[in-house]
Amino acid sequence: MSTPSLADFADEARAFLDAHATPRASDGAVVWGEGPDRVTYFSDEPFEVEQANVQAARDWQRTRFENGFGWITGPKQYGGRELSIAHDLVYDGLEAGYDVPDTGVISLIGLGMIAPTMLAHARPEINEQYLPAMFRGDAIACQLFSEPNAGSDLANVQTKAVRDGDDWVLNGQKVWTSGAQHAQLGMAVCRTNTSVPKHKGITTFLIDMSWEGVDVRPLRQMSGGAEFNEVYLDDVRVPDTHRMGEVDDGWRVTMTTLLNERASVGGEGAGPATRPTSRANLLAMLKATGRDTDGGVRRDFARVIADQAATEYLTSQMMRRARAGDLPGPEASVGKLMFGQNLTRIAHLAAEMTGPRMLADTGDWGTFSWNELLLGTPAFRILGGTEEIMKNILGERVLGLPKEPA
């Protein structure tokens, strides 16, 4: 079958969306005081509501997959269509005009970070087993990377994997694992050799989160939600077929995931907070709060707008490189760095404009609702690699500056 042109593909996508979803009622214009009065990135919904949202995401992902839009760029042998990144972007742009469930719980980590790593390093039979299920929405994946003493210094992982015949036995603790409470699959980074430099003694495994010995414990965030988890691995037996890459070569596998992680985090805009953090909404907020005559606030507003524009241009550059078939480059780390800084600055600007009304609910629209984003901003500057780590990577590996003293 020939590759459809972008125009023909767009027509096909519109027909699918018209048949399975409802166009958004809004024309995109921001009217202060209208629309959802909530500004959040991380969920703090009751568990039952969160579960219902996850199920809706699964259902929509399955509908997309069964109609040829679940993995537009993926290999046909795993249910993809082998079309270009440009086709994928066309579909995303069209779907943005429809009311559909948020599939971030499925796509951001599992499909955006782990699936590309599996394609590059997992065995064909494992990819056959898991990849169609992931892109159909049947299996959600999580990263079992960070540990209490190995966050930004990921090579310091202490979770051990010991060979036992055709299996490996895993023991250790992971922490800050996003989405583990919903996941059926996990990618675990483990220590398999202690007699070599730490980067050279790591191996990665895919584990079924329902296997005996896997214990997921949610961590409560100060914003009220519990999207992060501790995961304990207690004598978890993993078949050697679930090993990704060679023994002790897991750092190379891990870096594949981290490059895709930074590209995903840095290039996704503001996720659920996209509309309230848009330039149009911030300008409407500036006027509605009466701070448009305050020179200091106007200066901070201008800086935020300039940073947003620079990030958008950088994201466009990343997309052009992706269309050309290039792997994520230094822009991924820069994009991730700017993403966290932008949301932090926006939250602080909102605090400046709303004042005490962000701390106590006075009933004024668009004021108290911002505290969820403000309380979530510390996480933006840590997830996917701390700002300090990102700056070191850019300084040492891109600018060629001297390595930071140990």
Side-chain angles (χ1 to χ4, degrees):
M1 183 181 295
S2 61
T3 300
S5 68
L6 292 180
D8 288 343
F9 179 78
D11 290 340
E12 179 188 351
R14 287 192 195 93
F16 161 73
L17 290 165
D18 286 339
H20 294 87
T22 303
R24 293 189 187 279
S26 172
D27 60 2
V30 173
V31 179
W32 188 256
E34 295 183 5
D37 183 23
R38 189 177 183 193
V39 190
T40 184
Y41 188 90
F42 300 108
S43 171
D44 66 352
E45 301 283 7
F47 184 72
E48 297 76 13
V49 175
E50 187 178 354
Q51 287 287 82
N53 291 339
V54 171
Q55 187 58 52
R58 288 178 183 273
D59 293 342
W60 178 240
Q61 181 62 29
R62 183 176 301 108
T63 298
R64 289 195 295 203
F65 187 83
E66 292 175 348
N67 287 273
F69 297 98
W71 197 5
I72 293 168
T73 61
K76 291 181 180 178
Q77 69 186 101
Y78 302 130
R81 292 185 62 176
E82 296 185 7
L83 299 180
S84 68
I85 292 288
H87 288 82
D88 206 19
L89 293 175
V90 165
Y91 177 80
D92 287 345
L94 290 171
E95 189 185 84
Y98 291 77
D99 280 319
V100 298
D102 180 1
T103 57
V105 66
I106 299 172
S107 60
L108 182 60
I109 296 176
L111 308 188
M113 306 174 198
I114 295 179
T117 306
M118 292 172 63
L119 276 174
H121 300 287
R123 302 187 186 197
E125 64 270 24
I126 296 301
N127 284 335
E128 182 69 38
Q129 177 180 353
Y130 289 115
L131 285 177
M134 291 168 64
F135 282 90
R136 192 169 51 242
D138 295 339
I140 296 174
C142 65
Q143 289 177 330
L144 300 171
F145 281 23
S146 295
E147 299 180 2
N149 294 311
S152 296
D153 183 14
L154 186 56
N156 195 40
V157 294
Q158 300 301 309
T159 294
K160 292 184 178 180
V162 178
R163 189 70 179 260
D164 183 18
D166 292 333
D167 295 341
W168 294 80
V169 180
L170 277 53
N171 281 282
Q173 177 190 359
K174 299 294 181 176
V175 73
W176 312 127
T177 306
S178 300
Q181 72 273 37
H182 306 301
Q184 289 72 47
L185 187 67
M187 177 182 171
V189 179
C190 302
R191 173 72 51 199
T192 48
N193 193 335
T194 59
S195 61
V196 296
K198 59 184 182 180
H199 287 82
K200 297 182 178 181
I202 291 172
T203 307
T204 57
F205 301 89
L206 287 170
I207 69 171
D208 188 314
M209 298 295 285
S210 68
W211 282 343
E212 185 176 356
V214 180
D215 183 15
V216 178
R217 304 179 188 178
L219 292 169
R220 184 68 56 186
Q221 300 148 213
M222 65 179 174
S223 59
E227 287 202 341
F228 311 120
N229 305 268
E230 296 175 291
V231 180
Y232 290 86
L233 305 175
D234 185 12
D235 287 337
V236 179
R237 299 191 71 86
V238 180
D240 186 57
T241 54
H242 283 60
R243 169 172 48 84
M244 294 208 292
E246 300 299 322
V247 175
D248 295 343
D249 192 32
W251 186 248
R252 186 166 62 93
V253 179
T254 301
M255 287 307 299
T256 303
T257 307
L258 293 180
L259 284 171
N260 284 289
E261 177 179 38
R262 286 156 194 168
S264 295
V265 172
E268 68 160 0
T274 297
R275 185 180 184 278
T277 59
S278 67
R279 287 191 286 272
N281 194 68
L282 292 175
L283 179 59
M285 184 178 183
L286 182 69
K287 295 177 179 178
T289 56
R291 304 303 298 274
D292 53 329
T293 59
D294 187 315
V297 174
R298 287 166 61 94
R299 181 186 63 244
D300 292 342
F301 174 80
R303 287 175 176 169
V304 164
I305 298 307
D307 288 342
Q308 283 185 316
T311 304
E312 288 172 4
Y313 284 123
L314 181 67
T315 300
S316 296
Q317 180 178 343
M318 290 171 59
M319 292 300 100
R320 287 195 297 271
R321 288 175 60 92
R323 288 192 202 96
D326 294 339
L327 291 173
E331 320 85 51
S333 291
V334 178
K336 189 272 167 190
L337 189 64
M338 296 176 71
F339 169 76
Q341 290 181 349
N342 285 352
L343 285 183
T344 299
R345 289 167 182 163
I346 289 170
H348 289 179
L349 176 64
E352 180 68 21
M353 288 193 281
T354 59
R357 291 177 295 172
M358 182 185 278
L359 303 178
D361 192 356
T362 62
D364 292 341
W365 193 93
T367 55
F368 180 68
S369 57
W370 280 87
N371 68 33
E372 283 189 67
L373 184 66
L374 182 66
L375 291 174
T377 53
F380 305 138
R381 308 179 76 167
I382 297 172
L383 60 84
T386 65
E387 290 188 354
E388 292 80 7
I389 292 297
M390 292 296 100
K391 290 176 180 178
N392 281 349
I393 290 173
L394 294 170
E396 296 169 11
R397 302 180 189 177
V398 178
L399 301 179
L401 297 178
K403 189 175 179 64
E404 184 182 39

